[in-house]
Amino acid sequence: MRRALSERHNSGLLLIILLLGAAILSIDLAAQDSQNLADLAVGTRIKVFLEGDRELDGTLVEVTEFTVKLKHKFGVAELRKGEIRKWERFRTVAEVFEERAAGCTTAVAWCNLGDWADAESEADLAARAYREAIRLDSDFARAHEALGEVKVDGEWLSHADAMRKQGKEYYKGEWRTPEEIAALELKEEQAARTEKLKGRKELELEYAGRPWAAMDPIETDHYYIHCNSTLEVAREYADVMEALYEKYDSVFTEKNFPRNSRTKSTIRIHANHQQFMDWTGNGPGIGGFYRPALRDVTAYHGSFGTTGSTREVLAHEGTHQFEGLIFKNMWALPAWFIEGLAVYFGDGSKISPRKVEINEIPRDRLIGLQGAIENGSYCELRKLLRIPQPAFGGFFYGHGWGVLYWCLYGNKMGAWKGDVGENIMTDWLIHCKQISKNEGVVDLEKEAQYFEELIVRHTKMSIEKWEAEYKEWILGLPVEKIGRSSGNRWSSEALKLEVQRPSGWQWIKESDLASDEVVAAKGAGSQVRRVSTYCWSNWQHSDMNLEYASRLAGNIFQEIVVDQDYEAGEVSHYPAIRATYSSAKRVLRAETSFDDQGRPSTKLEAGDPQKYEVVFYGSIDKVYCNVFECQPDVWEAQYSQFEKYLESFKIDN
């Protein structure tokens, strides 16, 4: 017993000696390291341990007699040598992974490595390790389960594939059998027959919503959906997000673009716009946003812009969310690509709860881009590629989409033949995948030059010649009609309105409509006579009032002289606000130019003064305005035409 204790004592003493020796050696090495920093080549990645238990890792920029300069993700730090306790060569998670992977010879070892990589938030490395474990042992349950797979009839499948093998399909927030789906669809069709459009009471319930505290999230294969509108609305958005993910995944396959995380993404949808603004602090021009640090999307239930809705906002911001899954650092990518891709999948998709069709033309973005080309405010490619993210406003979104659409779908729309655009985009995506691994922000000049080189290389044209042809192609793309005319009548299901032009008058072409004007007709002859209807999103979900109407009038006219006060009353059975302007100017043209930093400067061109009457209406989700204009000397003779126009006006309120 005494011998055993003695041996144990000696062993413990030996351990202490070894540890003490290691500590002394560490101190000696630290001193030696501090002295040998000057021997390291510039560009070497190191980690320094500073006084006060601080650590900093980065790239060595300069070593002088007294200081060390280190470039890190927040800038360049200049450190005094005296404050550096020790340093070591910095090894990335990927470097450590490769080192450990060299010693993995069993499925268990690979799985352990995968767990380590997962804990380090390196989802792609973790997935690689788990797949290596499966390669060694095809039935290794721990690895399959780590990849989110389940065993069905002796075969390991993803959860979605397992459900589909059982004959189920994802519908309304749940996996259901075809019989269950058919029964639900029949119920929906019957409801649609009795009420084609949602009534005001139903919409009011949706916009009133439920208390957040009493609401449970809906969990799908890839998302947690938090929506405090009605449960039916929440389930619909859950289906929309899964349908969108399927499209994202079909273009950016996991094989070529591994996910940075396997955790489910979060979607938050407020019951109405006002609640969204109150909770987030955003103004009325924001439909939703994505936060890279938290990987969550926040939006609201309702309409956005003239024709947009929550679905398009979710598709746009959901694209950013997916970009965060496949690109390590989105700040390392240029803004035109990040936002252009979001428009391509967002505005440029037709979305229903269980189906998403991509490669569609976003109507409002195309109108804006075509208008920019025609009025001279178009942003040339060389400048577009170099606009930094903070300055990349909504005006440029359509520009970014246009370039991507030309590459991804131009061959179907007559832009090019063969594989020109596809080759440009393939090379660009491979490049983006690589540069997104870089720390810090994008080198705009370098990346702009690279994309310009791709265009020149694959099209065999100069940038100037390519852009000239590109602009002609954009101008030739068809604009989706927001409504349709049948004889004297014009109707729009999207805008929930119907109107009839005066007898003998002609509908005005969509390309000649003013901003926010959705339909207009003009009388024959040399004298100006025009009736038209404007439409906006009623993001406030409020009834029309005097203040609201006066603010909206500024969207139509540059200069207004009110002949009489606004009056509240009833016009053709609708509550309305109306006023007459003895002299007002319609904005005919708005030219916007941009400096090198993307800052806008807008010059407005207004028409001649005319006499106008305006009538404003409000529904639960839309705001409308009917306008009559003509020269003052024929006002009395022509006013009856406007009265007929008002009588024919119908909205779903």
Side-chain angles (χ1 to χ4, degrees):
M1 178 68 71
R2 183 178 298 173
R3 181 179 178 183
L5 288 172
S6 177
E7 288 177 350
R8 191 178 304 165
H9 174 76
N10 291 338
S11 297
L13 183 60
L14 179 60
L15 179 60
I16 292 173
I17 293 173
L18 289 174
L19 290 174
L20 182 59
I24 294 172
L25 179 61
S26 176
I27 293 172
D28 290 342
L29 285 175
Q32 181 182 13
D33 286 347
S34 296
Q35 294 171 355
N36 294 338
L37 275 170
D39 296 335
L40 294 178
V42 170
T44 303
R45 296 195 66 192
I46 63 172
K47 176 184 286 188
V48 295
F49 300 85
L50 307 171
E51 296 173 344
D53 295 326
R54 293 180 298 133
E55 299 178 7
L56 188 66
D57 60 77
T59 303
L60 196 63
V61 175
E62 180 184 50
V63 179
T64 68
E65 182 178 358
F66 302 105
T67 63
V68 174
K69 285 186 179 180
L70 204 63
K71 181 180 180 182
H72 56 99
K73 60 183 177 181
F74 299 113
V76 177
E78 185 172 356
L79 308 171
R80 293 179 292 102
K81 282 187 175 179
E83 63 180 320
I84 301 176
R85 294 192 294 106
K86 64 176 181 176
W87 64 270
E88 61 184 28
R89 289 182 182 272
F90 180 79
R91 294 193 302 165
T92 65
V93 173
E95 290 171 341
V96 176
F97 179 92
E98 295 298 339
E99 180 182 300
R100 296 185 180 183
C104 291
T105 58
T106 66
V108 172
W110 276 110
C111 237
N112 290 340
L113 182 57
D115 292 344
W116 172 82
D118 188 52
E120 295 291 331
S121 301
E122 290 287 347
D124 51 346
L125 293 178
R128 173 185 158 192
Y130 295 136
R131 292 192 183 99
E132 286 294 330
I134 293 171
R135 185 180 63 81
L136 294 175
D137 184 349
S138 60
D139 198 38
F140 196 61
R142 181 180 158 197
H144 283 291
E145 291 169 357
L147 290 170
E149 298 174 353
V150 294
K151 198 171 188 179
V152 180
D153 298 331
E155 182 182 8
W156 287 99
L157 302 170
S158 67
H159 176 67
D161 288 340
M163 292 294 101
R164 294 187 183 102
K165 188 168 184 178
Q166 296 174 33
K168 294 184 177 182
E169 193 173 344
Y170 196 79
Y171 181 68
K172 294 292 183 184
E174 296 180 18
W175 288 97
R176 306 177 190 270
T177 64
E179 293 76 17
E180 291 171 333
I181 293 174
L184 286 172
E185 288 179 337
L186 178 61
K187 184 178 179 181
E188 291 170 357
E189 289 174 4
Q190 290 171 342
R193 291 192 198 101
T194 58
E195 188 176 16
K196 185 176 181 182
L197 296 172
K198 291 182 177 178
R200 187 179 185 93
K201 289 185 178 179
E202 184 178 356
L203 285 173
E204 285 177 344
L205 287 174
E206 292 181 3
Y207 293 139
R210 301 169 288 164
W212 280 107
M215 184 221 63
D216 294 324
I218 296 175
E219 182 178 1
T220 70
D221 277 359
H222 302 98
Y223 298 96
Y224 290 107
I225 309 295
H226 301 259
C227 175
N228 74 323
S229 182
T230 64
L231 182 58
E232 181 181 3
V233 167
R235 286 173 174 168
E236 178 180 311
Y237 288 139
D239 288 339
V240 166
M241 290 310 304
E242 282 299 327
L244 285 166
Y245 189 96
E246 185 177 338
K247 286 299 179 183
Y248 301 147
D249 191 53
S250 68
V251 176
F252 298 99
T253 60
E254 187 163 5
K255 177 182 178 182
N256 297 323
F257 294 88
R259 311 300 181 245
N260 296 325
S261 173
R262 294 197 310 280
T263 59
K264 297 181 180 181
S265 300
T266 298
I267 307 291
R268 292 186 180 86
I269 305 167
H270 291 274
N272 58 69
H273 198 170
Q274 189 63 54
Q275 184 186 94
F276 168 82
M277 292 190 295
D278 291 343
W279 283 50
T280 66
N282 284 291
I286 305 297
F289 56 86
Y290 163 64
R291 295 186 295 183
L294 300 177
R295 288 189 36 249
D296 65 346
V297 164
T298 302
Y300 65 86
H301 174 55
S303 56
F304 179 70
T306 303
T307 60
S309 69
T310 308
R311 291 178 179 180
E312 287 75 30
V313 173
L314 289 176
H316 184 105
E317 301 303 332
T319 301
H320 289 323
Q321 196 174 50
F322 195 83
E323 288 169 337
L325 286 176
I326 62 177
F327 296 120
K328 278 187 173 294
N329 177 15
M330 288 173 59
W331 292 104
L333 302 175
W336 73 268
F337 173 65
I338 291 295
E339 295 299 345
L341 204 60
V343 173
Y344 181 83
F345 280 109
D347 312 51
S349 295
K350 291 195 177 300
I351 307 167
S352 60
R354 295 172 54 230
K355 185 177 181 182
V356 174
E357 299 176 18
I358 60 174
N359 298 322
E360 302 291 334
I361 295 176
R363 179 186 182 277
D364 294 350
R365 301 294 186 187
L366 177 61
I367 289 175
L369 181 56
Q370 289 179 338
I373 293 173
E374 291 174 337
N375 66 30
S377 62
Y378 168 80
C379 181
E380 295 181 353
L381 181 71
R382 292 190 187 278
K383 184 175 292 186
L384 179 74
L385 300 180
R386 292 165 172 81
I387 298 176
Q389 288 195 23
F392 204 88
F395 174 83
F396 302 111
Y397 285 18
H399 287 67
W401 164 81
V403 175
L404 290 178
Y405 191 70
W406 185 93
C407 292
L408 292 167
Y409 209 64
N411 62 325
K412 302 294 185 182
M413 302 296 291
W416 44 267
K417 294 181 180 180
D419 51 8
V420 176
E422 293 172 359
N423 288 341
I424 292 174
M425 191 48 51
T426 298
D427 289 350
W428 176 246
L429 288 176
I430 293 173
H431 179 68
C432 286
K433 181 181 174 182
Q434 184 60 39
I435 64 173
S436 74
K437 298 177 182 179
N438 298 338
E439 295 181 358
V441 297
V442 61
D443 184 336
L444 284 171
E445 183 59 35
K446 179 180 178 182
E447 303 313 327
Q449 290 180 11
Y450 180 78
F451 191 78
E452 290 167 353
E453 290 169 2
L454 290 179
I455 289 179
V456 173
R457 184 196 318 162
H458 290 292
T459 65
K460 312 300 181 187
M461 291 187 286
S462 66
I463 294 297
E464 291 73 20
K465 183 178 180 183
W466 172 85
E467 192 156 27
E469 293 189 3
Y470 162 77
K471 289 195 288 186
E472 286 298 318
W473 177 75
I474 287 291
L475 290 174
L477 290 178
V479 175
E480 180 185 8
K481 292 186 179 299
I482 199 172
R484 58 186 180 85
S485 60
S486 178
N488 290 347
R489 305 200 71 80
W490 186 91
S491 61
S492 171
E493 185 173 338
L495 303 180
K496 304 178 183 179
L497 73 86
E498 181 179 278
V499 72
Q500 180 175 315
R501 62 176 168 79
S503 179
W505 291 36
Q506 298 296 320
W507 292 119
I508 293 173
K509 294 188 301 181
E510 283 193 345
S511 59
D512 293 332
L513 298 178
S515 174
D516 302 318
E517 189 179 27
V518 295
V519 65
K522 62 181 178 179
S526 59
Q527 293 178 318
V528 176
R529 290 175 292 156
R530 181 179 181 127
V531 290
S532 53
T533 299
Y534 290 74
C535 180
W536 302 271
S537 168
N538 186 7
W539 56 267
Q540 292 177 313
H541 307 301
S542 66
D543 294 330
M544 182 55 59
N545 55 54
L546 300 178
E547 182 184 356
Y548 202 177
S550 62
R551 288 207 315 268
L552 290 170
N555 291 7
I556 306 173
F557 306 110
Q558 182 179 358
E559 298 178 13
I560 301 175
V561 177
V562 181
D563 187 29
Q564 60 190 49
D565 292 335
Y566 287 96
E567 294 181 350
E570 190 175 274
V571 178
S572 300
H573 310 295
Y574 295 115
I577 305 291
R578 68 193 305 170
T580 301
Y581 307 139
S582 60
S583 177
K585 294 181 179 181
R586 176 195 296 274
V587 175
L588 300 179
R589 182 185 178 97
E591 291 190 5
T592 304
S593 57
F594 301 87
D595 61 20
D596 293 336
Q597 296 300 313
R599 291 185 291 264
S601 175
T602 303
K603 179 181 179 181
L604 300 177
E605 178 186 336
D608 295 329
Q610 299 287 334
K611 188 171 182 178
Y612 291 83
E613 181 163 319
V614 296
V615 181
F616 293 96
Y617 315 77
S619 75
I620 189 67
D621 64 345
K622 298 289 183 186
V623 175
Y624 308 93
C625 180
N626 286 325
V627 179
F628 174 56
E629 66 178 282
C630 75
Q631 294 172 332
D633 58 335
V634 294
W635 179 269
E636 297 297 333
Q638 297 296 326
Y639 188 77
S640 61
Q641 302 288 1
F642 186 48
E643 290 179 322
K644 293 177 181 178
Y645 190 80
L646 296 177
E647 290 172 1
S648 71
F649 183 72
K650 293 182 176 63
I651 56 176
D652 175 59
N653 66 342

